[in-house]
Amino acid sequence: MCGIVGYIGNEEKKEILLDGLQELEYRGYDSAGIAIIENEKLNYFKAIGKLQNLRDKTKDYQSSGFGVSIGHTRWATHGKPTELNAHPHLGKFSFVVHNGIIENYQELKTQLQEEGVHFLSQTDTETIVHLFEYYYSQNSDSFNSFSKTIDRLHGAYATLLISESSPDTIFFAKNGSPMLIGFDGDDIYFASSDTPIIGRATEVYYLEDGEYGYAKNGEVKLFDKNGEKSFSTKPLATDKAMAQKDGYRFFMEKEIYEQSLVMSDTMIGRVLEDRIDFEELDSELFEGVTNIKICACGTSYHSALTGSYLLERVAKIPCQVEIASEFRYKEPLLRDDTLFITISQSGETADTLEALKMAKREGLKSLSICNVDNSSIVRESDRAILTRAGIEKGVASTKAFATQTMVLWMLTLYIAKLQKTISQDRLDIELDAMRHTPKALLVTDKLHSKLTRLSKRYLHGHGFFFIGRDLFFPLALEGALKLKEISYLHAEGYPSGEMKHGPIALADSELFTIALMPKSLHYEKIKSNVEELSARDATILAISPEPFELADDFVQTIYDTHPMLEFFEMMVVTQLLALEVSVRLGNDVDMPRNLAKSVTVE
Ligand code: M6R
């Protein structure tokens, strides 16, 4: 996730860009940059780290009078967060900003290099500006060169380009990443979301995938694959707080809905035709490794547990999972043939960070799976895989859990291939299922309204048991954690086969059982466990693709062939249930009592 802002007009452009980027900083803050053309001359500034660094760098620069301008705040995907990798990227006479991932950039880059083009950065984005200038060198027509460039791009992009070849124009294109155009008289704005332009523009047009064009002389020309098209604007919202949530009631709700999209970001460039590739990893990290230990807290611990099932089952590598706060003081015996993995959304969790330092002192190799680049845990680790979930604001973690779990699934296949513990046929089946994950994460109106209706029956009682087996046991733990965090109701996650060893004593009609009953993994076994609870009058909410006649309430899921697709689909159901119960109880969904987003104390 990155953020983009653009502006054409007579106002002070630097301020418009910096204020706009401030609103988008939640989308990434590895680096930021702006480029402005005024009086037919290009100026640009870039700074790594938070936007304040760019503000400091530009404090003596002024840009009033007519001009065109673009700005960007970055969340690194290709290449480290350095100034060279910061946007805008420059060619000889043009600048580009981009949000998304150009999947075929390597192929384009090689072609351009063969033409003698010199690249400065490690980013996929830089190919756009060089490709534009390459075509311009052939035809001297800016818009034609831009259209040809867009035609060559595969993947997701929202992009703005300015060039001394057309100093009064901003070229734009969108496919798979968000972008809108704001209007106020002759002034034209571009942004990744509403908030940067609220209070400035009055009308807005939300670009559709496949649209591109240019803005000039107070007018926008819009095209798609069928040629030029007309469009109509609508009034821009005036409530900034609402706009930050993209119209959702809560950040948690927005983040649940975002999961499908961010999951694609997590996979782009990593899920290839016949294998998994991590540019962050190489075989050297796994040399001599015969064992994996994963350490994490809270939700990240639950994704770690899920990963341990996958790593042992599919990659055939022994894997133990530890809660970081326990690990630190148990005087663990560590062997140097163990790869030490930490998982953390924030990368700042004190217990996880200290566990990592302990493992490093013992000479273990380390890998972190994290959502925040440059965080303490990332910096401390030998290698890091970023989950690319984008900033998560809701204290109750949702999309971070989904993307952590996906990274662990991908890592499992990566290691399995490396250690030759998987056949190509099985790998192909896993990759195919993986590609379906964004679909399994989509929230339909039907599903959401069903859970809104159901939630009113689950506001009391003496407790919730989320139960599941195998991979669905960690999901049960996570479902229970979500509910208790934001509803303040008591909930436990339990392996369903373990209920009869004690907890079933609690069963009565006021004990709510949320039963995760996937079709593709031990269905008959789970069914028996749920029947035992039903026989003791427990109230059952069954989540399954298979109708279950003893259920008091039933949410039917769609996927039934691959456990991970069932996993992700059921995960969304448990998240929505927690959300709607919390809303009905009138709790603060995004900032529940007693909790903090980042736990930097032990
Ligand atoms: O940032 P981390 O993933 O290291 O945080 C770990 C836990 O504090 C975190 O997952 C917590 O449990 C969340 N509030 C769960 O929703």
Side-chain angles (χ1 to χ4, degrees):
M1 288 231 302
C2 302
I4 289 179
V5 181
Y7 170 70
I8 307 188
N10 289 297
E11 301 290 316
E12 167 59 67
K13 285 161 284 302
K14 176 187 82 175
E15 291 308 325
I16 291 175
L17 295 179
L18 291 179
D19 291 351
L21 293 177
Q22 191 81 56
E23 296 292 343
L24 296 174
E25 209 178 13
Y26 74 93
R27 298 175 67 87
Y29 42 80
D30 296 327
S31 58
I34 58 174
I36 296 172
I37 304 181
E38 47 186 356
N39 303 323
E40 313 210 342
K41 222 182 134 330
L42 265 169
N43 279 301
Y44 74 98
F45 302 88
K46 300 184 189 193
I48 54 171
K50 294 228 164 193
L51 192 67
Q52 188 56 44
N53 299 341
L54 185 62
R55 277 197 193 278
D56 294 344
K57 214 167 181 174
T58 53
K59 69 178 187 320
D60 299 326
Y61 173 69
Q62 302 240 314
S63 58
S64 47
F66 177 80
V68 300
S69 58
I70 55 177
H72 187 272
T73 178
R74 178 168 187 248
W75 181 273
T77 54
H78 290 71
K80 293 194 177 307
T82 59
E83 218 168 273
L84 274 183
N85 286 335
H87 301 217
H89 286 286
L90 69 154
K92 289 186 179 133
F93 49 89
S94 322
F95 274 93
V96 72
V97 291
H98 161 232
N99 169 27
I101 293 180
I102 306 300
E103 288 171 32
N104 60 335
Y105 85 100
Q106 196 55 60
E107 174 199 324
L108 297 172
K109 185 171 177 174
T110 310
Q111 282 171 15
L112 288 162
Q113 281 170 328
E114 281 164 10
E115 296 290 336
V117 174
H118 178 60
F119 279 75
L120 291 174
S121 78
Q122 301 158 303
T123 65
D124 51 339
T125 303
E126 198 184 339
T127 50
I128 303 175
V129 71
H130 292 309
L131 203 54
F132 168 80
E133 293 191 353
Y134 168 73
Y135 286 125
Y136 189 80
S137 70
Q138 295 185 332
N139 63 21
S140 301
D141 179 332
S142 301
F143 182 57
N144 184 280
S145 304
F146 184 73
S147 323
K148 281 190 155 155
T149 301
I150 295 307
D151 217 32
R152 297 286 310 278
L153 306 180
H154 297 168
Y157 49 82
T159 185
L160 298 177
L161 183 142
I162 57 176
S163 174
E164 283 176 332
S165 64
S166 293
D168 51 359
T169 307
I170 293 184
F171 299 96
F172 61 87
K174 171 202 173 347
N175 193 46
S177 300
M179 188 151 67
L180 53 85
I181 311 178
F183 299 85
D184 181 39
D186 280 351
D187 285 4
I188 296 178
Y189 300 82
F190 293 86
S192 301
S193 76
D194 285 348
T195 42
I197 62 169
I198 288 178
R200 295 191 187 272
T202 51
E203 292 283 308
V204 65
Y205 176 70
Y206 296 90
L207 285 160
E208 301 281 345
D209 285 346
E211 289 181 340
Y212 64 99
Y214 61 91
K216 180 181 175 174
N217 297 337
E219 254 195 308
V220 166
K221 296 282 182 193
L222 188 68
F223 299 79
D224 66 12
K225 62 179 183 331
N226 301 316
E228 189 171 351
K229 63 191 283 198
S230 57
F231 64 97
S232 38
T233 60
K234 54 183 185 180
L236 178 66
T238 49
D239 180 347
K240 229 175 213 184
M242 195 63 189
Q244 277 177 335
K245 294 179 191 151
D246 283 351
Y248 293 102
R249 296 166 296 170
F250 309 99
F251 282 110
M252 182 192 179
E253 185 177 37
K254 172 173 175 264
E255 287 156 7
I256 292 171
Y257 275 76
E258 260 172 16
Q259 290 179 119
S260 172
L261 197 68
V262 297
M263 198 58 103
S264 303
D265 290 347
T266 306
M267 292 193 291
I268 282 179
R270 293 169 170 171
V271 181
L272 308 184
E273 187 65 22
D274 59 346
R275 70 196 151 92
I276 296 292
D277 187 36
F278 282 109
E279 66 173 13
E280 306 83 341
L281 304 183
D282 53 41
S283 55
E284 194 200 319
L285 183 70
F286 299 93
E287 263 165 32
V289 168
T290 61
N291 187 51
I292 289 179
K293 196 178 274 296
I294 316 183
C295 228
C297 301
T299 286
S300 300
Y301 168 72
H302 299 152
S303 72
L305 273 182
T306 313
S308 72
Y309 282 86
L310 296 170
L311 283 159
E312 293 212 342
R313 177 170 298 144
V314 183
K316 310 285 180 219
I317 185 158
C319 177
Q320 308 85 45
V321 180
E322 308 253 10
I323 290 177
S325 55
E326 285 298 306
F327 174 83
R328 288 178 63 185
Y329 298 103
K330 71 186 275 201
E331 298 180 25
L333 296 177
L334 296 173
R335 302 185 331 215
D336 60 9
D337 63 349
T338 299
L339 174 65
F340 194 80
I341 301 183
T342 47
I343 305 183
S344 175
Q345 188 286 128
S346 60
E348 302 297 344
T349 301
D351 283 319
T352 312
L353 180 60
E354 285 309 314
L356 169 60
K357 288 181 181 164
M358 272 173 67
K360 285 190 71 183
R361 279 197 294 273
E362 295 296 317
L364 271 64
K365 292 181 184 174
S366 58
L367 167 68
S368 59
I369 296 174
C370 192
N371 198 33
V372 182
D373 198 6
N374 270 322
S375 58
S376 305
I377 288 176
V378 166
R379 280 185 275 116
E380 193 68 32
S381 307
D382 294 332
R383 305 290 169 84
I385 301 177
L386 295 180
T387 45
R388 303 180 183 164
I391 291 197
E392 191 179 61
K393 285 201 171 178
V395 164
S397 180
T398 51
K399 60 179 181 167
F401 174 72
T403 53
Q404 287 166 349
T405 307
M406 173 54 86
V407 166
L408 284 159
W409 185 13
M410 295 194 288
L411 184 65
T412 298
L413 301 185
Y414 179 89
I415 296 175
K417 173 103 175 166
L418 199 67
Q419 308 213 334
K420 302 190 176 58
T421 51
I422 192 166
S423 68
Q424 191 60 46
D425 284 353
R426 170 82 193 267
L427 184 55
D428 289 342
I429 291 171
E430 297 290 317
L431 293 171
D432 188 53
M434 224 168 230
R435 290 185 199 103
H436 282 85
T437 309
K439 266 198 175 157
L441 288 164
L442 284 172
V443 183
T444 60
D445 288 350
K446 192 173 157 213
L447 176 68
H448 199 156
S449 46
K450 168 133 200 176
L451 285 152
T452 307
R453 274 198 317 281
L454 279 184
S455 60
K456 63 175 173 288
R457 313 238 273 264
Y458 293 93
L459 306 176
H460 61 292
H462 60 69
F464 288 76
F465 269 87
F466 284 69
I467 60 169
R469 271 180 180 255
D470 205 296
L471 289 167
F472 293 79
F473 163 51
L475 183 58
L477 289 172
E478 176 57 11
L481 180 64
K482 279 302 76 87
L483 185 70
K484 67 184 143 201
E485 277 187 293
I486 57 174
S487 73
Y488 318 144
L489 296 171
H490 180 72
E492 275 188 65
Y494 232 77
S496 58
E498 190 66 10
M499 291 297 283
K500 56 182 163 302
H501 298 290
I504 202 165
L506 293 168
D508 64 19
S509 60
E510 296 290 284
L511 179 80
F512 298 139
T513 302
I514 315 296
L516 306 176
M517 304 175 70
K519 193 73 191 39
S520 59
L521 202 61
H522 316 311
Y523 179 76
E524 291 303 327
K525 302 263 177 233
I526 302 163
K527 192 169 162 223
S528 312
N529 302 144
V530 183
E531 280 164 0
E532 287 155 14
L533 280 156
S534 174
R536 275 121 190 128
D537 218 17
T539 297
I540 313 285
L541 164 56
I543 306 172
S544 179
E546 187 75 11
F548 179 58
E549 59 182 21
L550 295 178
D552 298 280
D553 286 315
F554 181 60
V555 177
Q556 186 155 28
T557 46
I558 297 164
Y559 290 88
D560 61 1
T561 51
H562 194 288
M564 288 311 290
L565 291 178
E566 293 204 63
F567 180 99
F568 284 119
E569 196 184 358
M570 289 188 190
M571 178 198 75
V572 172
V573 176
T574 58
Q575 292 168 343
L576 290 172
L577 178 69
L579 171 76
E580 291 307 329
V581 168
S582 174
V583 173
R584 281 192 192 273
L585 292 172
N587 298 343
D588 187 336
V589 170
D590 286 330
M591 283 188 268
R593 71 185 184 199
N594 306 339
L595 299 177
K597 186 67 189 158
S598 181
V599 184
T600 51
V601 290
E602 82 164 287

